[in-house]
Amino acid sequence: MPTCALAHETDWTGWRRATRGYVLARIEPADLSWTMGRGGDAVPETAGTFTLSRALVSLAAQAFQAREAERFGLLYTLVWRAHHGGLDLGDAGDLDLRIARRWALAVRADAHRMRTMVRFAQVTVDDQPHFLGWYEPDHFVLEANTRFMARRDPPGRFTIVTPDGTAHRDQDGLRFGAGLKHPGDDDTLLAWWDAHRDALLRDAHAGGGLPEAEELDEVPRPLDRPALGPVVLAERQTSATRELAREARGCERCALHRPATQTVFGEGPRDARVLFIGEQPGDQEDLIGRPFVGPAGQLLDEALEEVGIDRRRIMISNAVKHFKFNARGRRRIHQSPSPGEIDICRFWLDAERAAANPALLVLLGGSAGRAVLGRPVTVTRERGRPFSLPDGGTAFLTVHPSYLLRQPDEASRAREYAAFVRDLRAVKELINHGSE
Ligand code: SF4
């Protein structure tokens, strides 16, 4: 059985070359193994060529970045099948395609998260301001994502450190170097930077690139560009909420745990003073395990950006931690949690609030309103004004962003979006005037 050795985790160029060679040499997926580093067999130099659909190449380029050991083989299988006429990209039941799409979805979510979560400390390199940030990605998104970020922010000089690699962008262009295990707190990161800066910049190289993934990410999104500023990023979850999230994984307090994939807990920096609370994870959140990464989350990002609330400084969670849905064929249709389910799951929200201790709660929709205020709320009547909470904090009620997505036409969508933005401006006022 031949073994194909790739140079590193994101050796897209090497994988494509090997895939072409082995497919043309008629090596079946089951007869080929993949490894990393040295020791592989020479790729066959078989004459011939074949083409793949743009959609398949785009899917492969994204799924290739997933932190999944089997991805090289599975993507080879897809290419093999496409070449032999045995792949229908429209077949929603195809298991190989479903796995690849799930990986691609997780990669996109992680890339989006990196663009919104990474925060930078300003340091000086060669008398020039340089921004230093830390991010711990779930997948191998550093390279393709940093290329995108570099294009979106042409003049900035920055370094992003991750456990998988380091990206530098300065007057010499964009280069990549070795990664680093978690540097610890912000001071440790800065001290580490002082000690290793010269060697890092010297050893950086241009990298192989994932051009297809890069092109696919050309779809404009309001929050794609990281805001450079004198702030070092915080972790997605504090140790207290991480502990709670771990504990809740086995929760069986209500029936919602049965069909759902996983619990989805809140995320935000450890110093967040504002907690946004939605209803429950949606389809994508359930698969990925993170709150507000689907269409409603992207709309929320857009509105936050418009009013100047930095998502990286707030915590975001849900009233209910499992996705409730109706299965219709292969589709999972959202169902609102019942008042009883909200009340039962409030146990976790209360624990999360106690751990994070935010001064301001922004309640997105009726389920969040019920979970916090302990009574039914009529969002249209009660939205847009602050409530004093018995524990001394403040709550502010507005609609859930999915309400905007459900509007029947463009005019009502625009009207409701404008009202939502108005509410968020009021939230910003509360933040500025000390409710945080
Ligand atoms: S929805 Fe909440 S209470 Fe119900 S099982 Fe999930 S975590 Fe537990």
Side-chain angles (χ1 to χ4, degrees), residues 54-389:
R54 175 76 192 160
L56 178 56
V57 175
S58 296
L59 172 66
Q62 292 213 326
F64 191 81
Q65 299 169 67
R67 198 178 294 275
E68 300 286 349
E70 303 81 31
R71 67 194 187 282
F72 308 127
L74 183 123
L75 296 174
Y76 179 81
T77 302
L78 287 177
V79 173
W80 169 271
R81 289 177 52 199
H83 180 57
H84 289 88
L87 184 69
D88 173 7
L89 287 179
D91 181 359
D94 188 303
L95 188 60
D96 292 337
L97 276 176
R98 282 172 61 184
I99 295 171
R101 287 191 171 123
R102 183 168 166 169
W103 290 345
L105 182 67
V107 163
R108 284 187 79 95
D110 197 27
H112 178 69
R113 182 71 56 188
M114 177 177 165
R115 292 171 203 166
T116 56
M117 295 294 284
V118 69
R119 288 155 54 179
F120 294 85
Q122 187 172 337
V123 293
T124 302
V125 176
D126 300 333
D127 296 327
Q128 298 279 340
H130 191 100
F131 294 94
L132 172 65
W134 162 261
Y135 186 68
E136 194 162 349
D138 287 345
H139 301 283
F140 298 106
V141 297
L142 174 72
E143 191 178 321
N145 217 20
T146 311
R147 287 175 191 283
F148 179 87
M149 290 160 70
R151 279 203 315 279
R152 291 290 300 264
D153 184 34
R157 299 169 181 227
F158 62 78
T159 295
I160 300 175
V161 184
T162 79
D164 302 318
T166 306
H168 308 279
R169 210 277 295 278
D170 57 18
Q171 73 283 357
D172 296 327
L174 182 61
R175 291 158 294 138
F176 298 92
L180 174 80
K181 293 294 171 214
H182 196 302
D185 58 22
D186 300 348
D187 290 342
T188 314
L189 175 63
L190 292 170
W192 169 86
W193 169 252
D194 284 341
H196 295 88
R197 191 191 81 189
D198 293 342
L200 268 173
L201 294 176
R202 189 184 58 233
D203 295 344
H205 57 85
L210 283 154
E212 283 79 5
E214 198 180 357
E215 284 166 25
L216 207 72
D217 272 342
E218 287 293 357
V219 181
R221 294 183 197 139
L223 273 182
D224 279 346
R225 185 170 58 193
L228 301 183
V231 186
V232 174
L233 91 165
E235 289 184 67
R236 287 200 310 262
Q237 287 179 326
T238 65
S239 53
T241 49
R242 217 172 21 240
E243 194 51 48
L244 279 173
R246 201 169 296 133
E247 217 180 300
R249 267 180 219 152
C251 179
E252 297 182 1
R253 284 168 182 258
C254 75
L256 295 188
H257 73 277
R258 285 198 202 104
T261 308
Q262 57 190 313
T263 50
V264 178
F265 249 68
E267 286 184 2
R270 65 172 72 100
D271 58 350
R273 305 302 298 134
V274 185
L275 170 59
F276 279 63
I277 304 172
E279 182 188 71
Q280 63 168 353
D283 182 66
Q284 294 194 22
E285 286 84 359
D286 170 78
L287 294 172
I288 293 165
R290 290 178 163 181
F292 282 93
V293 294
Q298 287 173 23
L299 195 56
L300 176 64
D301 287 350
E302 188 180 325
L304 289 173
E305 171 82 351
E306 192 166 331
V307 303
I309 295 176
D310 188 342
R311 175 160 172 170
R312 297 163 303 175
R313 285 182 167 279
I314 61 175
M315 188 171 172
I316 299 191
S317 191
N318 281 302
V320 171
K321 309 303 184 199
H322 273 119
F323 177 36
K324 182 176 180 181
F325 60 92
N326 257 339
R328 284 204 206 128
R330 292 193 185 95
R331 295 182 63 214
R332 305 193 302 170
I333 310 296
H334 163 274
Q335 260 199 310
S336 288
S338 68
E341 287 156 348
I342 294 170
D343 292 346
I344 294 171
C345 205
R346 187 177 171 170
F347 171 85
W348 293 114
L349 181 64
D350 286 348
E352 215 171 13
R353 283 176 59 190
N357 195 27
L360 175 62
L361 306 182
V362 180
L363 314 177
L364 302 169
S367 297
R370 180 184 177 96
V372 170
L373 302 176
R375 61 172 174 80
V377 296
T378 309
V379 179
T380 45
R381 201 174 60 224
E382 301 184 70
R383 71 183 289 182
R385 63 182 172 85
F387 297 84
S388 292
L389 296 172

